Amino acid sequence: AQSVTQLGSHVSVSEGALVLLRCNYSSSVPPYLFWYVQYPNQGLQLLLKYTSAATLVKGINGFEAEFKKSETSFHLTKPSAHMSDAAEYFCAVSTLTGGGNKLTFGTGTQLKVEL
Amino acid sequence: GAVVSQHPSRVICKSGTSVKIECRSLDFQATTMFWYRQFPKKSLMLMATSNEGSKATYEQGVEKDKFLINHASLTLSTLTVTSAHPEDSSFYICSANEPRSYNEQFFGPGTRLTVL
């Protein structure tokens, strides 16, 4: 079975500081990994995804994540936080089913950006 | 990019009534759609997997008679909350698999259900 652990339900950074959101996964097969962002009362927007190509994945809005198999990690980073980055972030791992990919989500990390 | 819509975005109903939520893939065909439920400040909980032309596969603990799912076409899946009660109040989100994009899931904007 697949699982995802997000360390830190709340992360607070200053504007302009480095953002680091942690994600560790458990998977019995090579995983597909995703980071999503959710703003209040909205659906999820894909930030980036790892699909067994390059281990360093660049996404939208300046975010990137590195797949580290030895550490079973897929941490999300951004060099310089912006106020608009304040949101809920979810890491997810997928499992191929007969009809498509089934996602298992982490518990989420609320990012707060302070002036 | 692939777009998924949901309707309605917000619904308030009385206890005992049924509510239907639609999920549409606007610019692609989705053989598989997923329905999630999200409680306040919580993660998404997968309720069921909906495959076009066949019965939905429900996750453990989800009442199939309570949450009726129909996937009648490659672009439309519906979730009907039957005999809704206040504890069914939640944020419901659907997603659809885009086969051409590593089977990536694209999410709808969600539906806020409030049962009085």
Side-chain angles (χ1 to χ4, degrees), chain A residues 32 34 36 38 41-46 49 51 88 90 96-103 105-108, chain B residues 10 31-32 34 36 38 41-44 46 49 51 59 91 93 97 101-105 107-110 112:
Chain A
Y32 285 1
F34 304 82
Y36 288 90
Q38 185 182 32
N41 293 309
Q42 295 186 26
L44 273 66
Q45 180 183 11
L46 180 69
K49 60 185 177 185
T51 55
E88 185 85 20
F90 293 97
L96 276 175
T97 68
N101 277 5
K102 179 176 171 178
L103 288 174
F105 285 90
T107 50
Chain B
R10 187 179 296 265
T31 53
T32 304
F34 301 87
Y36 297 85
Q38 186 177 33
K41 301 188 185 299
K42 296 290 186 182
S43 187
L44 280 74
L46 179 65
T49 303
N51 291 302
E59 295 298 302
F91 194 55
I93 304 176
N97 259 146
S101 184
Y102 291 102
N103 278 319
E104 179 180 332
Q105 287 188 33
F107 286 81
R112 174 72 60 190

Side-chain angles (χ1 to χ4, degrees), chain A residues 35-110:
Chain A
W35 274 101
Y36 288 90
V37 61
Q38 185 182 32
Y39 297 97
N41 293 309
Q42 295 186 26
L44 273 66
Q45 180 183 11
L46 180 69
L47 282 176
L48 48 79
K49 60 185 177 185
Y50 167 76
T51 55
S52 75
T55 56
L56 181 62
V57 181
K58 294 187 183 298
I60 62 171
N61 302 337
F63 285 94
E64 62 182 38
E66 185 172 8
F67 172 71
K68 291 187 177 180
K69 184 178 180 180
S70 61
E71 298 177 9
T72 61
S73 69
F74 190 56
H75 302 330
L76 181 71
T77 60
K78 181 173 180 177
S80 177
H82 192 273
M83 295 297 289
S84 61
D85 295 326
E88 185 85 20
Y89 292 81
F90 293 97
C91 181
V93 61
S94 74
T95 309
L96 276 175
T97 68
N101 277 5
K102 179 176 171 178
L103 288 174
T104 300
F105 285 90
T107 50
T109 298
Q110 181 73 43

Side-chain angles (χ1 to χ4, degrees), chain B residues 52-68:
Chain B
E52 186 266 339
S54 63
K55 290 183 178 180
T57 302
Y58 290 81
E59 295 298 302
Q60 192 171 10
V62 178
E63 300 176 60
K64 58 181 67 177
D65 294 331
K66 173 76 170 176
F67 299 99
L68 300 179

Side-chain angles (χ1 to χ4, degrees), chain B residues 10-109:
Chain B
R10 187 179 296 265
V11 56
I12 301 172
C13 69
K14 293 182 179 180
S15 187
T17 61
S18 294
V19 174
K20 179 184 284 188
I21 302 170
E22 293 186 349
C23 177
R24 293 181 184 274
S25 57
L26 297 185
D27 51 1
F28 66 99
Q29 294 184 329
T31 53
T32 304
M33 291 184 172
F34 301 87
W35 286 96
Y36 297 85
R37 181 173 180 176
Q38 186 177 33
F39 293 97
K41 301 188 185 299
K42 296 290 186 182
S43 187
L44 280 74
M45 180 193 79
L46 179 65
M47 298 174 66
T49 303
S50 168
N51 291 302
E52 186 266 339
S54 63
K55 290 183 178 180
T57 302
Y58 290 81
E59 295 298 302
Q60 192 171 10
V62 178
E63 300 176 60
K64 58 181 67 177
D65 294 331
K66 173 76 170 176
F67 299 99
L68 300 179
I69 291 172
N70 184 278
H71 194 156
S73 78
L74 287 171
T75 59
L76 174 64
S77 177
T78 60
L79 168 67
T80 301
V81 183
T82 62
S83 186
H85 288 92
E87 57 266 30
D88 299 325
S89 298
S90 194
F91 194 55
Y92 293 88
I93 304 176
C94 74
S95 69
N97 259 146
E98 217 293 16
R100 298 169 299 176
S101 184
Y102 291 102
N103 278 319
E104 179 180 332
Q105 287 188 33
F106 291 86
F107 286 81

